[in-house]
Amino acid sequence: MLFSLFSRKKRIDADSFEALVSPHVEQLYRLAYRYTGQQADAEDLVQDLLIKLYPRTPELQQVGQLKPWLAKSLYYLYVDRYRSQKRSPIEFGQEHDIEAATANSNHQGELSPQRQDTIRDLQRAIDHLSDEHRILILMHDVEAYTLTELESILETPLGTLKSRLHRGRAKLRKLLEEGTFPASQA
Amino acid sequence: MNCKQFELRLDDYLDHELFPGEAIDADAHLKQCPACQTRVERARTLQHMLKEIPTPPLRSGFAREAIARATGSDGKKHQRRGFVAGFSTAIAASVALMAVITLLPHSLPEQLAPVEIAQVAISLEQTQTVNLVFNTAQALDGATLTIALPANVEVPGLPGQRTITWQTNLQAGKNILPLPLKGLRRDEGELLASIEQDGKIKSVRVHISVGKTLQPQARLHALHSA
Ligand SMILES: [Zn+2]
């Protein structure tokens, strides 16, 4: 008896959790992919986030703007993991998953081989940025989060974000000019 | 406005965030400066390209499965990581996993012979890189790699640590893990490298001799210094 009550309560929680988060899973996955560059890592990160958030369902129900709130939780989870990864002395040298992305994405067919090369160069250049610049460019310029949203997600003042964004872009342009990025031909 | 001043305002210009007066100055400069016109054109192209960087589409069913796992509605215990749908059937059907071990300090092996048990000789008090090569028929996402070290070696930077475990993705084909090992004491030992995914484990043993199988020159040197 006790068991069945418990499981019914659990079912209700599970349903409200699903209703709350399921509209955001795709966007979280995209962000996670931006951070990690690997499809499997992105799925892992989102899975971990959901596992962490489920016990906090009542708190989630109180959140007004769930999209930036979830993006923030994902960001901090990523930062935690990234830091622990950096401590690991041994890592596989992994190339960015750009092949899989260009091969499977919705852009398929639109992207010429040259364009794919250019995007690969661009991705490499982004990977060379400091994490601070990289995250901001990925979230703002790639995923189109506004600076106002990012102010709360990254817990950083607007002015700081803006100058950081400009420095990051300048650095990116410099990297691409030094490299083989054919921006003017694109 | 000169080029330097324009360059400082480039991003505000692109984002339409200049004050009206500044915007007029910037436009006036731009009209008569081909260099800054190129700058703007390149920067715009870059901003456009950033929006084009693709992501692989979300795997269909992922959202439902991930939520079910999080809520425990799938009837399984939480697996912290390494969750890939359909993996168990995939691994049963077609993964041939083997470890190929060669000892080539600071270089990647050119020719690799698959062996189940490899022999490696390491000099005492020296660090040598053992390349563990994991050859898989298909990509393994979220696999857990565990290296259990024998007592006669250690990984520099991880003194005293006998087991190293971490999550990784193996790509189809050769995955090379350069494992630095330092010979601690003149002894024989066995290193165990295992890959675990979804409850399935593949392991390979590497026999490690420290300070015994020296090269002739090294042996001579050892005799001299003894
Ligand atoms: Zn100019």
Side-chain angles (χ1 to χ4, degrees), chain A residues 85 87-92, chain B residues 147 155 158 164 166 177-180:
Chain A
Q85 257 186 21
R87 281 200 298 271
S88 167
I90 314 155
E91 267 177 66
F92 278 91
Chain B
I147 310 280
V155 173
L158 296 175
I164 306 160
W166 72 106
L177 169 67
L179 182 69

Side-chain angles (χ1 to χ4, degrees), chain B residues 2-3 6 29 33 35-36 39:
Chain B
N2 60 32
C3 291
F6 183 84
H29 174 76
C33 181
C36 285
R39 235 189 279 283

Side-chain angles (χ1 to χ4, degrees), chain A residues 119-161:
Chain A
I119 286 180
R120 194 168 299 125
D121 288 344
L122 176 55
Q123 186 65 66
R124 289 208 181 104
I126 293 173
D127 291 344
H128 275 89
L129 294 173
S130 70
D131 219 38
E132 212 172 50
H133 289 157
R134 189 176 70 90
I135 294 288
L136 189 54
I137 285 177
L138 288 174
M139 294 189 85
H140 183 270
D141 289 344
V142 180
E143 286 298 322
Y145 281 81
T146 65
L147 286 179
T148 316
E149 284 175 316
L150 291 170
E151 198 178 9
S152 79
I153 293 171
L154 303 174
E155 294 183 321
T156 308
L158 197 63
T160 310
L161 284 179

Side-chain angles (χ1 to χ4, degrees), chain A residues 140-141 165-166 169, chain B residues 10-17 47:
Chain A
H140 183 270
D141 289 344
L165 178 68
H166 293 181
R169 283 178 182 173
Chain B
L10 177 59
D11 285 294
D12 281 326
Y13 180 82
L14 292 171
D15 294 344
H16 308 288
E17 291 204 354
Q47 289 308 112

Side-chain angles (χ1 to χ4, degrees), chain A residues 29-30 33-34 40-41 43 47-48 54 81 90 92 94 104-105 115 118 123 141 162 166 169 173, chain B residues 11-12 15 17 47 49 52-53 55-57 59 66 69-71 80-81 83 141 168-169 177:
Chain A
Y29 160 78
R30 286 179 64 88
Y33 179 80
R34 297 301 183 199
D41 291 348
E43 288 187 358
Q47 176 73 78
D48 280 9
Y54 177 55
R81 177 157 311 165
I90 314 155
F92 278 91
Q94 256 179 0
N104 302 319
S105 78
R115 197 69 162 177
T118 312
Q123 186 65 66
D141 289 344
K162 209 166 155 182
H166 293 181
R169 283 178 182 173
R173 290 193 283 261
Chain B
D11 285 294
D12 281 326
D15 294 344
E17 291 204 354
Q47 289 308 112
M49 302 261 297
E52 272 198 353
I53 303 176
T55 52
R59 206 159 45 70
R69 258 165 213 266
T71 59
R80 216 181 73 72
R81 303 170 95 187
F83 149 67
D141 289 336
T168 190
N169 299 326
L177 169 67

Side-chain angles (χ1 to χ4, degrees), chain B residues 19 22 24 37 80-81 84 88-89 97 110 125-126 143-144 147 156 160 164 170 190 194 199 205 220 225-226:
Chain B
F19 294 114
E22 279 184 317
I24 292 166
Q37 284 167 21
R80 216 181 73 72
R81 303 170 95 187
V84 177
S88 47
T89 47
L97 192 66
E110 280 184 316
E125 289 301 320
Q126 288 196 12
T144 302
I147 310 280
I164 306 160
L170 299 184
E190 222 169 52
S194 327
R205 289 168 191 284
L220 251 174
S225 56

